[in-house]
Amino acid sequence: EIVLTQSPGILSLSPGERATLSCRSSQSITSSRLAWYRHKPGQAPRIFLYDASKRATGVPDRFSGSGSGTDFTLTISRLEPEDFAVYFCHQYGSSPYTFGQGTKLEIK
Amino acid sequence: QVQLQESGPGLVKSSETLSLTCTVSGGSMSGFYWSWVRQPPGKGLEWIAYIYYDGTTSYNPSLKSRVTISVDTSRNQFSLKLTSVTDADTAVYYCTRGGWSYDYWGQGTLVTVSS
């Protein structure tokens, strides 16, 4: 089973700043089949990126994803107030599909 | 807009069977995969199983012996059954659209296993 490790666990930034979230895999992820989701308390999770770098419908272009193999990054170029939440990565290249523990992006 | 809503008992006794249903509205189930994912308190998410609208299934090997996923497209629902539950099965259970990445999620429902 592939283990995904996200860092940092908590990221404290201010609106307007740039956020860089990391997701590292214990094994190479087939075809970069990695997604990023945002989860706010009391809400359903929302997909932001899939296949490592493809933005889901309606996701603004200040969100970008990169990486391949075992190292992946989600970058938010200029933080907006609605961006502060938990982000988790998810690999679907190898069964069983697994998730990272999440990075909490909080307002500094 | 596609919406998913989980339903089922919030409390299940240890050793019994957990049963949840996901009702899909705002779209057809045809042509899509549907999945269950759960998150125990304080832990990460865990993929449980997926089902294609035609009934084709795939299960997480760690749960396969206890899980059954089924679909009823006529009612726009799919379901999860988990047998012989223990405290470790206490979690928020989410239903999602997709077999690999998930573009729609339910709000989640907390199921607590009581001993």
Side-chain angles (χ1 to χ4, degrees):
Chain A
E1 165 173 323
I2 292 178
V3 176
L4 298 179
T5 302
Q6 292 187 242
S7 61
I10 300 174
L11 183 57
S12 299
L13 294 170
S14 301
E17 291 192 296
R18 180 186 185 92
T20 303
L21 287 67
S22 173
C23 178
R24 183 160 291 177
S25 173
S26 62
Q27 303 171 37
S28 183
I29 296 176
T30 303
S31 302
S32 296
R33 289 177 180 164
L34 185 112
W36 290 92
Y37 300 85
R38 183 180 74 186
H39 194 189
K40 294 187 172 184
Q43 296 185 16
R46 174 188 172 186
I47 188 168
F48 270 67
L49 298 167
Y50 64 97
D51 291 350
S53 62
K54 298 175 182 176
R55 279 188 293 274
T57 303
V59 173
D61 60 7
R62 53 199 178 79
F63 287 83
S64 63
S66 62
S68 64
T70 61
D71 288 295
F72 297 85
T73 300
L74 167 66
T75 301
I76 310 171
S77 60
R78 296 173 309 280
L79 286 166
E80 299 284 343
E82 64 268 24
D83 298 337
F84 293 91
V86 174
Y87 292 82
F88 57 90
C89 56
H90 163 50
Q91 71 81 20
Y92 47 95
S94 301
S95 180
Y97 314 122
T98 52
F99 296 83
Q101 290 288 96
T103 289
K104 182 180 181 181
L105 181 55
E106 65 176 25
I107 298 177
K108 187 174 182 180
Chain B
Q1 175 80 343
V2 174
Q3 293 187 316
L4 288 76
Q5 180 65 58
E6 304 90 351
S7 59
L11 189 64
V12 180
K13 292 183 179 179
S14 183
S15 78
E16 296 190 344
T17 296
L18 179 160
S19 295
L20 295 173
T21 296
C22 182
T23 300
V24 180
S25 59
S28 171
M29 295 190 75
S30 295
F32 292 98
Y33 287 84
W34 305 89
S35 299
W36 287 97
V37 174
R38 70 180 182 179
Q39 185 169 31
K43 297 187 178 182
L45 290 148
E46 179 181 34
W47 168 66
I48 301 172
Y50 72 63
I51 190 165
Y52 194 43
Y53 78 103
D54 68 356
T56 304
T57 59
S58 181
Y59 295 96
N60 188 323
S62 69
L63 296 167
K64 186 175 183 177
S65 64
R66 299 193 293 130
V67 173
T68 302
I69 189 171
S70 59
V71 65
D72 184 344
T73 56
S74 67
R75 303 181 70 177
N76 259 30
Q77 294 179 333
F78 64 106
S79 298
L80 174 74
K81 289 189 186 300
L82 179 64
T83 62
S84 304
V85 297
T86 68
D87 289 349
D89 296 309
T90 293
V92 175
Y93 286 76
Y94 296 95
C95 58
T96 73
R97 188 177 83 169
W100 296 274
S101 61
Y102 312 122
D103 57 358
Y104 291 99
W105 294 63
Q107 297 273 21
T109 186
L110 174 62
V111 179
T112 301
V113 176
S114 67
S115 52

